[in-house]
């Protein structure tokens, strides 16, 4: 395991992190959920560390200015709204630091958009980011979804994706192809 990932598993972020105190607290809560779910689904210690690291690292560049992040993300994602650049930018930076864990890189890159190729770790991160208890939003419903994790990951991720996409539609926003393909993949698997 890359030393940066090992460190992140315990909550120590790289010195290039750009995230304020409240953001770090959110990352910590996401990492706690991820670690708990990995453990509860019987994963090895190394996998638990990777899942926790993904939680700690997912917003590692969230505090950086979008204009500073945009040139560094892959060209097909360069037109993303500013607030969504931090995922792909963090994945790119981790890769440049020598992290080769594709599943982790993919999970970090697509934690807000979703992506049809996301595996168990990426889907759980997508859900954990939304379900962490520090967010003040439909709290009883979200607590119920947390209770169903990790046994019913498929069902929970589908509900989270439906809520996030519905919110996007209701606010008149465009949907990204990655997000639509993610949704279609989830539906296809459930039928
Ligand atoms: Fe994020
Ligand atoms: Fe987040």
């Amino acid at each position: 395991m890359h030393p940066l990932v090992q460190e992140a598993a315990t909550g120590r972020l790289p010195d290039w992190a750009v995230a304020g105190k409240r953001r770090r607290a959110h990352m910590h809560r996401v990492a706690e959920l991820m670690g708990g779910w990995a453990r509860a689904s019987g994963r090895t210690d190394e996998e638990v560390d990777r899942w926790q690291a993904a939680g700690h690292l997912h917003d590692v560049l969230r505090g950086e200015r979008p204009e500073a992040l945009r040139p560094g993300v892959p060209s097909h994602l360069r037109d993303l709204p500013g607030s969504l650049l931090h995922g792909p930018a963090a994945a790119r930076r981790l890769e440049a630091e020598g992290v080769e864990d594709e599943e982790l890189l993919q999970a970090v890159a697509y934690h807000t958009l979703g992506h049809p190729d996301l595996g168990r770790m990426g889907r759980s991160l997508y859900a954990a980011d939304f379900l962490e208890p520090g967010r003040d939003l439909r709290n009883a419903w979200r607590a119920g979804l947390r209770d169903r994790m990790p046994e019913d990951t498929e069902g929970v991720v589908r509900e989270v994706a439906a809520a996030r996409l519905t919110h996007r539609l209701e606010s008149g926003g465009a949907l990204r192809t990655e997000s639509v393909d993610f949704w279609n993949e989830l539906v296809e698997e459930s039928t």
Side-chain angles (χ1 to χ4, degrees):
M1 194 182 305
H2 191 289
L4 189 159
V5 175
Q6 190 75 67
E7 290 272 293
T10 66
R12 280 191 297 275
L13 297 179
D15 54 11
W16 45 266
V18 188
K21 213 173 161 187
R22 285 181 57 185
R23 180 63 52 181
R24 283 171 193 252
H26 156 74
M27 289 143 86
H28 182 75
R29 289 189 297 268
V30 171
E32 292 272 281
L33 280 182
M34 289 292 283
W37 294 344
R39 242 174 258 115
S41 46
R43 292 179 185 273
T44 62
D45 288 349
E46 184 179 330
E47 282 184 303
V48 171
D49 281 354
R50 289 172 59 235
W51 281 49
Q52 270 178 197
H56 280 296
L57 290 168
H58 82 283
D59 277 343
V60 70
L61 288 177
R62 184 68 178 88
E64 184 56 282
R65 290 171 303 114
E67 316 84 74
L69 298 176
R70 201 174 296 278
V73 308
S75 53
H76 68 282
L77 295 170
R78 220 162 278 162
D79 61 333
L80 278 176
S83 62
L84 301 185
L85 290 167
H86 66 281
R92 263 294 160 95
R93 179 66 196 258
L94 291 168
E95 209 178 354
E97 296 287 334
V99 176
E100 292 174 340
D101 184 336
E102 280 303 327
E103 191 185 17
L104 186 145
L105 294 173
Q106 178 96 337
V108 169
Y110 289 101
H111 74 267
T112 8
L113 283 181
H115 192 287
D117 294 344
L118 286 181
R120 193 82 169 185
M121 183 207 282
R123 291 177 183 197
S124 297
L125 181 59
Y126 177 89
D129 193 21
F130 184 77
L131 296 178
E132 67 96 342
R135 233 181 246 283
D136 188 17
L137 168 84
R138 300 175 66 188
N139 291 332
W141 171 68
R142 289 189 316 112
L145 292 181
R146 283 198 300 277
D147 287 345
R148 284 164 52 196
M149 287 291 280
E151 289 79 16
D152 183 20
T153 300
E154 285 73 20
V156 170
V157 171
R158 227 170 25 247
E159 274 198 52
V160 169
R164 291 174 68 161
L165 294 174
T166 302
H167 176 74
R168 187 85 186 135
L169 289 173
E170 285 175 352
S171 61
L175 297 179
R176 291 285 301 196
T177 316
E178 294 86 346
S179 308
V180 175
D181 291 348
F182 179 47
W183 172 253
N184 289 340
E185 175 66 26
L186 297 175
V187 171
E188 213 160 282
E189 286 174 17
S190 72
T191 51

